[in-house]
Amino acid sequence: MAVQTKTTDVGPVGLIPMGEYNPSATYSLLMTVLYNHDSWVCIAMTPEGDEKQISGIAPDDPTRGAENWQALTDGGRAAVAVAGQVRSEFNDWFGATASEGIRRTVSDWFATVQNAWSTWFSQTKTEWTNWLNNTKTAWTDWFNSVKSAWTSWFGADATSGVQKQWATLKADSTAATNRANTAAATAEAWNTHPPYIGDGTTGDLNYWYLYDVTTAQYIKGPYAKGDDIDYSTMTPEEKQQLIDNIKADLVFAPDADCEAAAAEIIFTPQA
């Protein structure tokens, strides 16, 4: 009896790597893909157990993914889950908004620091302003006091204080200088124009002629005997002229001395 054999195509018996999942590609039994960081193997079969091809069905398809794909690894999804958990915990810690988490803590701290700084700066500014105003007032009072004292001592104008004293001293000095200049000019004039007795040719005979500084001329004086003045023969006018000349000569003498000299001329009897 002959033995009969039958050949059955069981298809691929090993995994067939296909790279990254492509929704446009066609996949069949034992083909593997990378999808969302995981490895997936195609297990697509007909209800009768025959191999079939699929396309456009992703491993995570909510209706047909589980019947056509089986996960070989779970690293990607676990990583995504861990990443999600870490992200959630970080958001809880850091704060999804400025009013949550560490962001709220930092915001509150910054607000506290800002308020403290504002309060300190405002207080310091007020104290500084008060100090500056007080210093300004004290300086102004001191300056006005010094100015008042200086004005009182020096004088507001030439009619008060040192200015007045200086003006008076200057006026007195000027007057004294003028008198000295006048006396010097008079002395110089008398020195260059000495008195003389007329000889009949130059002036009347035996009359004194005295130089008058005011008119710059010789004026006839009293009658003279020899070199002496004879008071007894002098007219009142001649005596007054002599008195005036003596007063002019005694320009620096007190008035009492001048009057005494005049009295001697008038009342002293002649020998």
Side-chain angles (χ1 to χ4, degrees), residues 246-247 250 252-264:
I246 290 175
K247 286 184 177 182
L250 299 175
F252 289 113
D255 291 341
D257 294 345
C258 296
E259 296 299 334
E264 182 180 355

Side-chain angles (χ1 to χ4, degrees), residues 112-171:
T112 301
V113 172
Q114 186 179 33
N115 290 336
W117 167 259
S118 298
T119 301
W120 176 85
F121 182 78
S122 178
Q123 181 178 357
T124 302
K125 180 180 178 182
T126 300
E127 293 175 354
W128 169 258
T129 301
N130 292 337
W131 177 86
L132 185 62
N133 290 335
N134 292 337
T135 301
K136 181 179 179 182
T137 300
W139 170 259
T140 301
D141 292 343
W142 176 84
F143 180 77
N144 290 335
S145 176
V146 171
K147 180 180 179 182
S148 177
W150 168 261
T151 302
S152 177
W153 174 80
F154 185 71
D157 50 38
T159 63
S160 61
V162 172
Q163 291 192 70
K164 179 180 180 180
Q165 297 176 8
W166 173 255
T168 301
L169 179 61
K170 181 179 179 181

Side-chain angles (χ1 to χ4, degrees), residues 26-208:
T26 300
Y27 298 100
S28 59
L29 187 66
L30 298 182
M31 289 183 178
T32 63
V33 296
L34 293 175
Y35 183 76
N36 284 346
H37 308 288
D38 286 328
S39 295
W40 298 81
V41 61
C42 181
I43 57 172
M45 297 182 68
T46 64
E48 293 78 14
D50 296 326
E51 178 184 348
K52 71 174 183 179
Q53 294 182 336
I54 61 173
S55 178
I57 301 175
D60 61 352
D61 187 287
T63 58
R64 295 179 296 169
E67 67 183 56
N68 291 288
W69 296 95
Q70 181 176 335
L72 295 178
T73 63
D74 197 21
R77 286 178 294 172
V80 170
V82 170
Q85 182 178 357
V86 170
R87 184 183 301 109
S88 176
E89 292 177 355
F90 178 80
N91 286 338
D92 291 341
W93 172 81
F94 185 71
T97 64
S99 61
E100 300 175 349
I102 193 67
R103 295 173 66 181
R104 171 65 180 272
T105 302
V106 172
S107 178
D108 292 345
W109 175 84
F110 183 77
T112 301
V113 172
Q114 186 179 33
N115 290 336
W117 167 259
S118 298
T119 301
W120 176 85
F121 182 78
S122 178
Q123 181 178 357
T124 302
K125 180 180 178 182
T126 300
E127 293 175 354
W128 169 258
T129 301
N130 292 337
W131 177 86
L132 185 62
N133 290 335
N134 292 337
T135 301
K136 181 179 179 182
T137 300
W139 170 259
T140 301
D141 292 343
W142 176 84
F143 180 77
N144 290 335
S145 176
V146 171
K147 180 180 179 182
S148 177
W150 168 261
T151 302
S152 177
W153 174 80
F154 185 71
D157 50 38
T159 63
S160 61
V162 172
Q163 291 192 70
K164 179 180 180 180
Q165 297 176 8
W166 173 255
T168 301
L169 179 61
K170 181 179 179 181
D172 293 345
S173 299
T174 300
T177 300
N178 292 337
R179 288 196 299 270
N181 290 335
T182 301
T186 300
E188 177 65 20
W190 287 350
N191 183 57
T192 55
H193 301 83
Y196 67 88
I197 298 175
D199 57 5
T201 301
T202 303
D204 295 339
L205 183 64
N206 293 330
Y207 276 88
W208 279 102

